Amino acid sequence: MWTIGSVYLAAGYEDITDLLCDYAADNKIWRVGAGCDIGNFWIGGVYENEDNGIWDMDNYQISGSYKFGNNKIKAMYADRDWDDDTSDLFDNDNDAWAIGWDYSFSKRSKMYAQYADSDHVLMNDNSLPSGTKGFSFGMVHSF
């Protein structure tokens, strides 16, 4: 990871071979990310590509937050485009979004609430649509 003032950049590469399953025997993943603090705003993004000879997947994510007082509101959007070379039957594209709120009691303690929604279509003919929605809340204390 590289930091230049309030901007950070990151890059990564994985070459995974000889896994226990044949479909991912030669899996290559690379990713880049960037983020920037602008006053009370923060914005960041990530791009990732995964290719194993059977599928080629592109993942994109953008997220941001805004701090005011002891509060932070945050949002995220992600999209995955999955090309499967084995069949025209499957369409594993999906997108997801989330919103959240943090309230800091101190530098070490905060409470949070967040909601996330993901849409996923497994079959090209939309016969198996699925999705996941969830709400979470809790407290975090760092020791």
Side-chain angles (χ1 to χ4, degrees):
M1 186 161 94
W2 302 273
T3 303
I4 306 165
S6 64
V7 176
Y8 76 89
L9 304 169
Y13 178 78
E14 296 177 64
D15 187 353
I16 304 168
T17 56
D18 298 328
L19 291 178
L20 296 176
C21 49
D22 291 337
Y23 72 87
D26 190 19
N27 206 24
K28 293 177 176 43
I29 305 168
W30 64 271
R31 69 186 58 84
V32 293
C36 183
D37 284 309
I38 307 167
N40 290 339
F41 289 95
W42 176 85
I43 189 165
V46 175
Y47 169 77
E48 177 181 82
N49 176 268
E50 179 177 355
D51 187 357
N52 70 0
I54 298 173
W55 67 69
D56 185 9
M57 183 171 32
D58 294 308
N59 297 304
Y60 311 87
Q61 179 179 327
I62 187 165
S63 55
S65 66
Y66 177 70
K67 289 190 240 179
F68 56 100
N70 290 354
N71 300 281
K72 180 195 287 188
I73 55 174
K74 48 195 176 181
M76 178 279 305
Y77 176 77
D79 183 66
R80 177 175 69 183
D81 296 321
W82 189 327
D83 296 324
D84 185 349
D85 295 337
T86 62
S87 171
D88 291 332
L89 182 63
F90 296 104
D91 178 10
N92 290 307
D93 296 347
N94 71 330
D95 63 346
W97 61 272
I99 55 172
W101 168 69
D102 293 351
Y103 181 81
S104 295
F105 296 106
S106 67
K107 289 184 178 186
R108 295 177 18 175
S109 299
K110 72 176 179 180
M111 70 177 188
Y112 66 90
Q114 46 196 31
Y115 176 80
D117 187 325
S118 174
D119 294 322
H120 183 82
V121 177
L122 182 60
M123 306 297 272
N124 275 335
D125 63 1
N126 288 327
S127 62
L128 290 175
S130 64
T132 303
K133 298 176 176 150
F135 178 76
S136 64
F137 61 93
M139 289 191 69
V140 176
H141 180 76
S142 301
F143 292 95

